[in-house]
Amino acid sequence: MTTTLLLNGKIATMGKHAPFVSALALKDGKVLAAGDEQHVRPHQEAGTRVIDLGGRTVVPGLNDSHLHVIREGLNYNLELRWDGVPSLKVALDMLKRQATRTPEGQWVRVVGGWSAYQFEERRLPTLDEINTALPDTPAFILHLYDRAFINKAGIAALGLGKDTPDIPGGTFERDAEGKPTGLVLATPAATILYATLAKLPRLSGEEQRNSTRQYLRELNRFGITSAIDAGGGAQNYPDDYAVCRELAREGLLTVRIAYYLFAQTAHKEFEDFARWVEMTRPGQNDDLFKPNGFLTGGGGENLVWSAGDFENFVQPRPELVPTMEAELARVVSLLVKRRWPFRIHATYDESIGRDLDVLEAVAREIPFDGLRWFFDHAETVSARNLARIKALGGGIAIQNRMAFQGEDFIARYGKEAAEHAPPIRAILEAGIPLGAGTDATRVAGYNPWLSLHWLVTGKTLGGTELYPPSYRLDRTEALRLYTEGSAWFSHEEEVKGRLEPGCFADLSVLTDDYFTVSDDAIKGIESVLTLVAGQVVHAAGPFAALAPEALSVDPPWSPVAALGGYYSGNRADRPGPVTMLGPEKGAPRPSKERG
């Protein structure tokens, strides 16, 4: 494999011995040398690619420890993204524009990734506004996991009427005659939201392949080179994993993915896992699909449905059902016996305490002996339960869900409770492994820089200050959670998350210097050059000549083709001089009234 030299940069290695260097040598998918130009030049040979970074900042490839990347890949080309859209006016205009492009039989759908608080108007759309924008084309618009809007054309397409039953934990709002209005509410369970979404048309196999490649490239645009997939509702193993498996086999997977398996049917979870532990094993695919890994990570985040406590802060905290302990113990016992790492979705301390009762009982019978496991989310975890997690050798993966719905949390639980939700500083001080992510794409947006902004400033998308200065992280601490910290959760911290010799050559050259820009400017950072295993997977601006071959969008009417993914108005073109040396040169709360 051709050697690459990166020169004249501000390269954050995240290593202990040399936190910043100016040059790297890359070969065979890994970092060969890190230091100054004099240090890496001896590795230059015939055919070496030399890139002058022009003083730009370089960070290790970002690693989202909780991203629903496989499911979103299968659906990305179907979705109009409101991620980053600055106003409701712009968002409604996007609906109108996409309606003119959407063929008969298809829907305009906005599936999470946005918050009412990001809009200048600081409110949700109304059904009247949505119906005006889309009088004839069916539409489904999901806001976090608290509600969805279906327009009149969508109600007709789904055949919703007086006799349509609610789903336990969810409600169809109805008019005086008992007919659904189009507002679908999680009260508090999100099951009704994704059960309704699952009735909409799907892409064909070839379109899903294109959609997945488009989404991975979109992640690369933000500097993401790795993701840990947490499974998801209606994400069936192994069928829905086939596209990523095929791309990995062909060397076209531009994000390294470790995936966890998510039980799909309530009260049948043990049967799922008993089948899966015979079909695959954690880490087995890593060597097969190198250099771009696609490997089984373990079980979760949904080990059993009875343990799910939905993160819907608009609604009261749900109580877990009495059968949870027995169901969870059975699944965890199986996984520990088979040495399967696992993760557990748990938002509230009350749920975490009951989960830990189960884990401690299992560990007394079947010692964990260093088996990796962790909680996802843990917004209200207590000091007592942190000590219990530490004693059992567990970790915690946090996400910036509070950035999207912190105002709702404050309204229900108060400002003081929000100041340590989640208690990031306490987790670090306890020495518990900690990784960062987004929980995209339905609960939050996939832009990692929004998450880093939240970690550094303690602010929501709407500007509400959640955390006092003493609870916030400095920029290096925050970045470490998105690099080496997240690597722990796929057992890759020895080779991932740092730019040191022997580590993966996964990195991102940034539009701005993350370490010195203003706090608000962090949200606007993107990558101008992203490498995975030393290979260019994204290049823009001054590095555009290195960009991979363009990939047309399929189907052509996809919102991605005309409106892109993350809101393009947030993308700044920052031209700057760069020298490419070729080998020849050596060289307020939203309204509750109908949305």
Side-chain angles (χ1 to χ4, degrees):
M1 188 175 291
T2 302
T3 301
T4 297
L5 300 188
L6 301 178
L7 308 177
N8 190 25
K10 178 182 178 181
I11 302 170
T13 68
M14 305 306 291
K16 296 178 181 178
H17 303 297
F20 287 93
V21 298
S22 61
L24 293 175
L26 315 175
K27 189 173 184 179
D28 297 331
K30 293 187 176 181
V31 177
L32 184 61
D36 57 19
E37 181 174 348
Q38 184 177 0
H39 184 73
V40 305
R41 277 289 188 184
H43 297 285
Q44 185 172 338
E45 55 194 10
T48 292
R49 177 175 58 184
V50 181
I51 302 174
D52 189 319
L53 299 170
R56 289 174 174 81
T57 297
V58 179
V59 297
L62 300 183
N63 182 359
D64 191 318
S65 62
H66 188 122
L67 182 67
H68 297 276
V69 58
I70 295 173
R71 182 177 64 191
E72 180 59 19
L74 300 178
N75 293 283
Y76 180 67
N77 282 3
L78 286 172
E79 297 173 0
L80 173 64
R81 304 302 308 179
W82 278 358
D83 306 53
V85 173
S87 74
L88 181 56
K89 179 181 178 181
V90 171
L92 292 170
D93 181 67
M94 293 171 72
L95 294 181
K96 295 177 185 178
R97 292 170 62 190
Q98 181 55 31
T100 65
R101 309 180 65 257
T102 303
E104 185 175 353
Q106 286 292 344
W107 289 58
V108 174
R109 59 188 91 183
V110 179
V111 187
W114 61 282
S115 166
Y117 299 104
Q118 80 190 40
F119 294 148
E120 295 172 0
E121 298 89 344
R122 296 180 65 80
R123 68 173 178 85
L124 292 161
T126 66
L127 282 168
D128 287 342
E129 288 172 326
I130 294 170
N131 281 311
T132 298
L134 297 159
D136 304 309
T137 307
F140 179 95
I141 300 171
L142 177 70
H143 180 254
L144 308 177
Y145 263 156
D146 63 36
R147 71 192 69 200
F149 304 89
I150 304 174
N151 67 347
K152 291 178 181 179
I155 291 173
L158 291 175
L160 301 180
K162 289 183 180 180
D163 297 329
T164 301
D166 291 338
I167 293 176
T171 306
F172 290 107
E173 183 193 64
R174 301 174 189 272
D175 62 19
E177 298 178 357
K179 298 177 181 178
T181 65
L183 180 60
V184 187
L185 297 171
T187 53
T191 311
I192 193 171
L193 303 178
Y194 46 74
T196 306
L197 178 60
K199 297 177 181 179
L200 276 55
R202 299 184 66 178
L203 293 170
S204 69
E206 279 303 310
E207 289 168 340
Q208 287 182 340
R209 175 185 168 95
N210 181 274
S211 179
T212 297
R213 294 190 68 192
Q214 298 288 349
Y215 184 54
L216 296 179
R217 288 191 177 201
E218 174 77 347
L219 296 177
N220 296 149
R221 178 163 73 88
F222 288 99
I224 294 176
T225 61
S226 290
I228 304 180
D229 187 273
Q235 183 175 319
N236 294 287
Y237 182 82
D239 293 353
D240 290 329
Y241 295 69
V243 169
C244 280
R245 184 177 298 276
E246 180 182 272
L247 293 176
R249 186 176 292 112
E250 296 173 16
L252 296 175
L253 199 67
T254 63
V255 173
R256 301 180 191 268
I257 299 172
Y259 57 85
Y260 281 69
L261 300 184
F262 183 111
Q264 294 297 316
T265 306
H267 311 303
K268 298 290 184 180
E269 300 93 343
F270 180 83
E271 288 77 4
D272 276 345
F273 285 109
R275 184 173 69 257
W276 292 337
V277 296
E278 301 300 332
M279 295 173 64
T280 184
R281 61 181 174 81
Q284 76 170 33
N285 299 331
D286 194 21
D287 290 335
L288 178 62
F289 292 131
K290 282 182 177 177
N292 299 351
F294 183 63
L295 62 145
T296 310
E301 68 182 291
N302 187 55
L303 292 179
V304 293
W305 284 88
S306 56
D309 61 351
F310 292 101
E311 62 288 347
N312 182 0
F313 300 138
V314 174
Q315 297 287 332
R317 176 183 63 82
E319 289 285 351
L320 302 183
V321 297
T323 60
M324 183 277 288
E325 280 82 356
E327 293 176 352
L328 182 61
R330 194 178 182 210
V331 170
V332 170
S333 295
L334 170 66
L335 296 179
V336 177
K337 285 178 183 177
R338 298 301 292 262
R339 304 305 296 168
W340 265 52
F342 61 89
R343 63 196 302 165
I344 304 177
H345 166 107
T347 300
Y348 301 100
D349 188 60
E350 291 82 356
S351 305
I352 291 170
R354 289 179 61 180
D355 291 337
L356 285 167
D357 290 343
V358 172
L359 299 187
E360 289 166 345
V362 171
R364 286 192 290 271
E365 298 294 324
I366 316 168
F368 283 18
D369 287 338
L371 181 70
R372 296 201 177 180
W373 69 274
F374 58 99
F375 282 113
D376 283 299
H377 316 311
E379 273 85 358
T380 69
V381 63
S382 64
R384 175 178 180 272
N385 281 335
L386 286 179
R388 298 170 73 190
I389 294 168
K390 172 73 172 177
L392 275 176
I396 297 177
I398 58 168
Q399 301 77 40
N400 62 326
R401 306 189 310 182
M402 287 290 287
F404 283 77
Q405 50 186 324
E407 288 86 353
D408 291 328
F409 186 98
I410 290 171
R412 179 161 297 280
Y413 300 108
K415 175 67 175 173
E416 184 176 350
E419 288 182 350
H420 46 84
I424 300 170
R425 181 62 66 188
I427 297 170
L428 287 171
E429 291 176 352
I432 295 171
L434 181 63
T438 59
D439 200 5
T441 56
R442 297 181 180 179
V443 177
Y446 52 80
N447 180 352
W449 300 100
L450 292 183
S451 188
L452 286 160
H453 175 266
W454 164 73
L455 289 168
V456 169
T457 68
K459 292 182 179 179
T460 69
L461 269 63
T464 299
E465 186 175 288
L466 297 171
Y467 315 129
S470 60
Y471 289 6
R472 303 172 200 162
L473 304 185
D474 67 39
R475 298 190 189 198
T476 298
E477 288 176 314
L479 183 60
R480 192 174 303 281
L481 297 189
Y482 241 101
T483 52
E484 188 177 10
S486 289
W488 183 89
F489 298 88
S490 55
H491 221 302
E492 296 177 288
E493 70 272 21
E494 295 300 319
V495 293
K496 185 182 287 186
R498 301 186 315 282
L499 294 175
E500 295 184 310
C503 292
F504 289 154
D506 300 349
L507 57 86
S508 174
V509 183
L510 305 181
T511 52
D512 288 303
D513 184 359
Y514 163 72
F515 298 99
T516 62
V517 295
S518 68
D519 286 347
D520 282 345
I522 293 174
K523 294 184 290 186
I525 291 175
E526 295 182 12
S527 175
V528 289
L529 182 65
T530 306
L531 274 60
V532 175
Q535 303 301 305
V536 176
V537 295
H538 166 76
F543 300 98
L546 294 174
E549 184 179 354
L551 180 66
S552 59
V553 180
D554 186 22
W557 57 265
S558 164
V560 176
L563 297 167
Y566 197 88
Y567 181 60
S568 61
N570 282 6
R571 296 166 64 178
D573 184 14
R574 301 175 178 87
V578 62
T579 303
M580 294 299 307
L581 304 178
E584 71 283 359
K585 296 185 179 181
R589 292 173 59 77
S591 168
K592 292 184 179 179
E593 299 178 4
R594 296 182 60 178

